[in-house]
Amino acid sequence: RSREGMANRKAIEVTEPEVIDIPLLEECIIVTGGEKMAQESKFLPFKQVGWLKLSFKNIVRIENLVGFTGLEKLQLDNNHIRRIENLDHLTNLTWLDLSFNQISEIQGLDQLTKLTDLCLTHNQIKKLEGISTLQDLEIFSCANNEISLTEELQTLRIFPKLRVVNFQNNPVCKDPEYQPVLLAFLKHLKYLDFRLVDDDKVASAKEQYFSDLQQLMIDDAQEAQVKKREQEIAATNKLYQQANMPGVEMLFKTMQAEDMEGEKLKLFPEFQDPLDDFADDFKDAWESFKVNMLDLYHKKQDEKNKFGRNYYGAIEAVDQKSKKMISDHKLLKKRTKQKLEQTCGVSPDERKELLAELRGRTDELKQHLLELEMFQVEQYEDLIMQFEDKFGSIRSKTLDEARVFFEKMRDMQNVYFEKIQERARDLLTKYAAGEVLNLADEAQQVLADKDAFMTGVVTCLLYTSPSPRDS
């Protein structure tokens, strides 16, 4: 393939650079299914095209592929492309061939997460980068490039499905550790540089890098735990957001973090007990608030689900009933028509009687359908009214629960203020009387400025509760 590619490259270098336009695209659409299908390819809407073959077209820039949203295979090999770009919208691509170009950096592939086969052979690539999002990658060809570091090959271990790789004729191939690294770290590897992987060599490579692999397993386990914990926290925060209590769990810590004067109070052991009491009271209040708010949230969800079932159930019931009535009427019309088309046996009077009966039944059908529609409207209004009453009651309880919690918060804050103000006055009295307080020099300096000290006491952990809201 290398010789053929180089020969064809010389052939196209003498021509003018090609721009990807509609005539070229229509020419390069590949349709399987025989000659007739191939002839119809020019009339195929771009969004339905699954395969584009833009090989050997002297293309210098990837562009004008908008509209090919269903594209699965794209060949851009044997051109003069320097940059991978304008492919973000081709999210259904599974196979991309950019071999025999002038690409020096892997980029512009982040959105192509369905890629399973990526070919970048015969370019000028120096680093393995820009492919971390391609978690479905199974085949990766990067031969005849300028990759030189064995360490970069280890990064390929993040691809859980990678089974075929090719790095032939890269500087890295001269490193004695080239093959052992790939065999050891790519656990699903089946073919390396077009050769079936030898199980004995894999075992030897894993033994060679045993300690590294063990450490990677430990790191992976720790990373998985961290990721799981982050996902749990994100799920919990989302639930609290939906239950109308975002950030409340961290409210006390937030108050502490924003308390600029609190650092001064930490110099005095006397203030620690009131702070601990405040923290314990907040924790108890939060736990009760959380349980009640989640219970109310689930009740709201249950009411929404029940309303949905009843509402769409009513629609379905009326729909089925109306279809049955219309079906019966169609059957009556068919039978009446058959009787009227009989060559004999139907007198003019009988004919008039049959038509009159059909018109009467048609009028009855119209009336029944109208009544059914009116019943449906009344039923919907009744369901909506019941839902609004029940949901509104739960919403009021939610608002009351939030109001009570934040009132408790203010009461706890007031109790805390009273305790620390009492202790602050006692400290100032002792300090003024010259008593030995066994305080650090920094604490002594804080007490020396009475006004600044009391200002810090009054403003510490100052919090203004929000107005209760519900959605």
Side-chain angles (χ1 to χ4, degrees):
R1 182 177 180 180
S2 173
R3 292 179 180 176
E4 178 187 354
M6 294 304 292
N8 283 293
R9 177 181 296 282
K10 290 179 180 178
I12 64 175
E13 280 177 350
V14 298
T15 63
E16 290 295 322
E18 186 76 70
V19 175
I20 300 177
D21 54 17
I22 290 179
L24 179 62
L25 290 170
E26 290 177 344
E27 173 191 334
C28 295
I29 293 173
I30 303 297
V31 178
T32 57
E35 184 177 345
K36 183 178 180 181
M37 290 292 293
Q39 291 175 351
E40 295 177 355
S41 64
K42 288 187 177 180
F43 306 101
L44 193 66
F46 284 174
K47 65 181 180 181
Q48 295 181 17
V49 174
W51 185 356
L52 265 182
K53 188 174 182 180
L54 293 161
S55 309
F56 300 100
K57 297 299 180 183
N58 214 29
I59 295 168
V60 297
R61 186 168 187 262
I62 304 172
E63 58 186 346
N64 299 330
L65 296 177
V66 176
F68 289 89
T69 52
L71 199 64
E72 296 180 357
K73 297 182 178 181
L74 177 59
Q75 290 176 256
L76 285 161
D77 57 285
N78 290 278
N79 287 293
H80 297 291
I81 298 167
R82 295 177 180 274
R83 179 183 176 87
I84 306 174
E85 58 186 340
N86 300 321
L87 297 177
D88 287 351
H89 63 291
L90 304 180
T91 54
N92 286 307
L93 274 186
T94 59
W95 176 34
L96 177 61
D97 188 352
L98 285 162
S99 61
F100 291 92
N101 279 287
Q102 299 168 25
I103 298 166
S104 59
E105 180 182 354
I106 306 176
Q107 58 184 332
L109 302 177
D110 291 345
Q111 304 303 316
L112 310 186
T113 56
K114 293 184 180 180
L115 272 183
T116 59
D117 190 333
L118 176 60
C119 185
L120 295 169
T121 62
H122 290 271
N123 279 286
Q124 301 162 13
I125 297 167
K126 294 181 173 62
K127 293 185 65 177
L128 291 181
E129 57 188 350
I131 58 174
S132 61
T133 62
L134 312 182
Q135 290 297 299
D136 285 343
L137 200 61
E138 298 179 16
I139 303 171
F140 182 45
S141 301
C142 204
N144 295 85
N145 277 282
E146 300 175 18
I147 298 168
S148 58
L149 298 177
T150 308
E151 291 77 7
E152 289 198 17
L153 302 179
Q154 294 185 23
T155 62
L156 297 176
R157 58 182 294 276
I158 66 171
F159 302 107
K161 302 177 183 179
L162 191 59
R163 55 186 177 82
V164 179
V165 298
N166 178 16
F167 289 100
Q168 285 182 316
N169 300 319
N170 276 277
V172 71
C173 296
K174 298 177 181 178
D175 189 330
E177 296 190 16
Y178 162 66
Q179 282 199 6
V181 163
L182 290 171
L183 294 175
F185 290 94
L186 305 188
K187 59 183 178 180
H188 297 297
L189 191 63
K190 298 298 180 184
Y191 288 89
L192 172 58
D193 297 340
F194 296 115
R195 292 187 178 183
L196 186 66
V197 167
D198 186 291
D199 291 340
D200 291 337
K201 289 184 178 180
V202 172
S204 175
K206 287 185 176 180
E207 184 177 351
Q208 179 180 345
Y209 291 98
F210 178 77
S211 59
D212 293 333
L213 291 171
Q214 288 294 105
Q215 185 59 50
L216 284 173
M217 289 178 61
I218 295 172
D219 294 343
D220 287 346
Q222 291 176 345
E223 184 178 344
Q225 288 181 346
V226 171
K227 187 175 182 180
K228 181 181 178 182
R229 179 57 182 158
E230 289 175 348
Q231 291 173 341
E232 291 173 347
I233 292 173
T236 299
N237 289 337
K238 183 179 179 181
L239 177 61
Y240 290 168
Q241 176 78 32
Q242 294 171 333
N244 301 104
M245 46 181 182
V248 178
E249 182 182 22
M250 303 301 294
L251 182 57
F252 188 80
K253 290 184 178 179
T254 301
M255 291 166 61
Q256 284 186 292
E258 295 176 353
D259 181 15
M260 304 303 295
E261 299 294 335
E263 291 298 319
K264 295 179 181 178
L265 300 189
K266 290 180 181 178
L267 298 170
F268 304 95
E270 290 83 356
F271 296 131
Q272 188 59 46
D273 286 344
L275 184 63
D276 292 341
D277 291 342
F278 192 0
D280 291 340
D281 291 342
F282 173 81
K283 183 179 179 181
D284 292 341
W286 156 248
E287 289 297 330
S288 176
F289 179 62
K290 177 181 69 174
V291 170
N292 294 338
M293 290 291 279
L294 288 177
D295 179 60
L296 290 167
Y297 167 71
H298 291 309
K299 286 181 178 178
K300 285 192 289 185
Q301 294 303 110
D302 289 343
E303 285 300 326
K304 287 181 181 179
N305 294 335
K306 185 193 294 185
F307 172 75
R309 289 193 300 270
N310 292 339
Y311 185 82
Y312 292 108
I315 292 176
E316 180 65 19
V318 171
D319 188 51
Q320 291 299 323
K321 191 171 183 178
S322 62
K323 286 180 178 178
K324 177 68 167 56
M325 293 167 64
I326 293 171
S327 176
D328 291 344
H329 187 69
K330 286 182 177 179
L331 182 60
L332 175 64
K333 285 177 64 178
K334 182 178 180 181
R335 289 174 177 173
T336 302
K337 182 179 179 182
Q338 290 173 345
K339 289 180 181 179
L340 292 173
E341 290 176 347
Q342 290 178 4
T343 56
C344 60
V346 180
S347 66
D349 290 339
E350 289 175 331
R351 183 182 183 86
K352 288 181 181 179
E353 185 178 341
L354 285 170
L355 291 173
E357 181 185 359
L358 181 60
R359 283 194 292 270
R361 295 288 289 273
T362 301
D363 291 338
E364 287 180 10
L365 175 63
K366 292 179 180 178
Q367 184 62 32
H368 288 323
L369 289 175
L370 181 61
E371 291 173 355
L372 197 59
E373 184 178 358
M374 295 301 296
F375 168 76
Q376 191 176 36
V377 171
E378 292 174 359
Q379 190 178 30
Y380 294 164
E381 290 176 347
D382 184 53
L383 285 171
I384 291 171
M385 185 172 63
Q386 290 181 29
F387 171 73
E388 288 179 342
D389 286 344
K390 293 180 180 179
F391 192 84
S393 175
I394 299 172
R395 182 177 182 275
S396 296
K397 290 179 181 178
T398 301
L399 292 169
D400 289 342
E401 192 68 38
R403 177 181 53 78
V404 169
F405 171 79
F406 288 111
E407 286 177 354
K408 285 182 180 179
M409 190 71 188
R410 284 194 293 270
D411 292 341
M412 289 186 289
Q413 190 177 40
N414 291 333
V415 170
Y416 171 68
F417 284 159
E418 290 175 2
K419 289 181 179 179
I420 64 171
Q421 286 178 25
E422 179 182 350
R423 299 186 182 211
R425 286 192 291 268
D426 185 52
L427 276 171
L428 287 172
T429 300
K430 291 179 179 179
Y431 180 77
E435 295 185 25
V436 178
L437 300 176
N438 295 322
L439 296 174
D441 292 342
E442 188 178 355
Q444 298 277 1
Q445 292 174 5
V446 172
L447 282 177
D449 190 342
K450 177 181 176 181
D451 293 337
F453 175 63
M454 289 306 296
T455 299
V457 169
V458 172
T459 57
C460 70
L461 291 186
L462 188 60
Y463 172 73
T464 303
S465 64
S467 299
R469 294 186 298 173
D470 180 50
S471 59

